[in-house]
Amino acid sequence: MRVVLLGPPGAGKGTQAQIIAGKLGVPAISTGDIFRANVSGQTELGRKAKVFMDAGDLVPDEITVAMVKDRLAEADAVGGFLLDGFPRTIAQAEQLRESLQELGHGLDRVLELVVDEEELVRRLSGRRMLVDGQMVQRDDDKPETVRHRLEVYREQTAPLSGFYEGEGLLARIDAIGSVEEVTSRALRALGADGDGEAGQPAAV
Ligand code: ADP
């Protein structure tokens, strides 16, 4: 199964991506994680991406698209994948469609995690991650940067919802509730909840 997980920063994409990908038996591919690994590994890619990430801006499409293309060509992603954090612009979505077409594939479903903005700001400002045994705040989770990332989301990424709705691929998932509740809504929309019913691309 080839799935895209869409949703604003703080919607819980990373958490859900891991769980859902595990259930589907496909790799969860997070562009944010790949960038962060490159930043801590001090690679050339990481050096380029860091400037944009710290500002809460998108890393330019030419860097991001090439990176995702390489990742999708790896053996574990050939049979399916769950993309988290990509595409984030209409241009990226078009490039993804082209890359998959070249391989004779297409997306099966796009899940959009829906959370209102007030809740997002609350979640992001309290978010911490574990680095070298310590809980630290991500540089781009500082309040000013969070506001900017939400603006970038509204302007550049939110239009993807309509784009994929037009392709008949979109399922909107209410992402307020416990992790387990959100997971089961997502699996239902993918028709992967074990009852054999394919989900409809409508509200869940
Ligand atoms: P979040 O969803 O919480 O904003 P991510 O971990 O997905 O965080 O991304 C962190 C940062 O990495 C983004 O703010 C952006 O700078 C960069 N990034 C991740 N994915 C993309 C992408 N598809 N296109 C451009 N930049 C990206």
Side-chain angles (χ1 to χ4, degrees), residues 101-112:
Q101 247 162 21
E102 281 167 24
L103 300 166
H105 300 311
L107 291 174
D108 295 299
R109 190 67 109 208
V110 175
L111 299 180
E112 180 183 6

Side-chain angles (χ1 to χ4, degrees), residues 1-8 12-22 24-35 64-74 76-89 91-101 103 105-113 153 157 160 163-164 169-170 186 190:
M1 207 170 212
R2 296 178 179 84
V3 180
V4 163
L5 198 56
L6 208 65
K13 287 195 305 296
T15 307
Q16 293 298 334
Q18 292 298 331
I19 304 173
I20 298 166
L24 297 177
V26 298
I29 300 177
S30 154
T31 42
D33 285 351
I34 302 177
F35 283 133
T64 311
V65 169
M67 179 180 91
V68 172
K69 233 178 151 171
D70 286 349
R71 180 63 188 88
L72 292 182
E74 284 177 35
D76 65 333
V78 171
F81 52 75
L82 188 148
L83 276 171
D84 157 22
F86 185 94
R88 243 180 170 91
T89 61
Q92 290 181 5
E94 285 169 346
Q95 298 262 6
L96 175 64
R97 188 169 53 190
E98 253 173 59
S99 306
L100 291 176
Q101 247 162 21
L103 300 166
H105 300 311
L107 291 174
D108 295 299
R109 190 67 109 208
V110 175
L111 299 180
E112 180 183 6
L113 299 185
Y153 185 83
T157 309
L160 286 177
F163 177 89
Y164 283 124
L169 291 172
L170 189 76
L190 291 171

Side-chain angles (χ1 to χ4, degrees), residues 9 13 31-32 36 53 57 59 85 88 92 127 138 149:
K13 287 195 305 296
T31 42
R36 277 186 290 279
M53 294 172 74
D57 285 320
V59 178
R88 243 180 170 91
Q92 290 181 5
R127 178 161 82 170
R138 245 169 66 176
R149 279 161 61 212

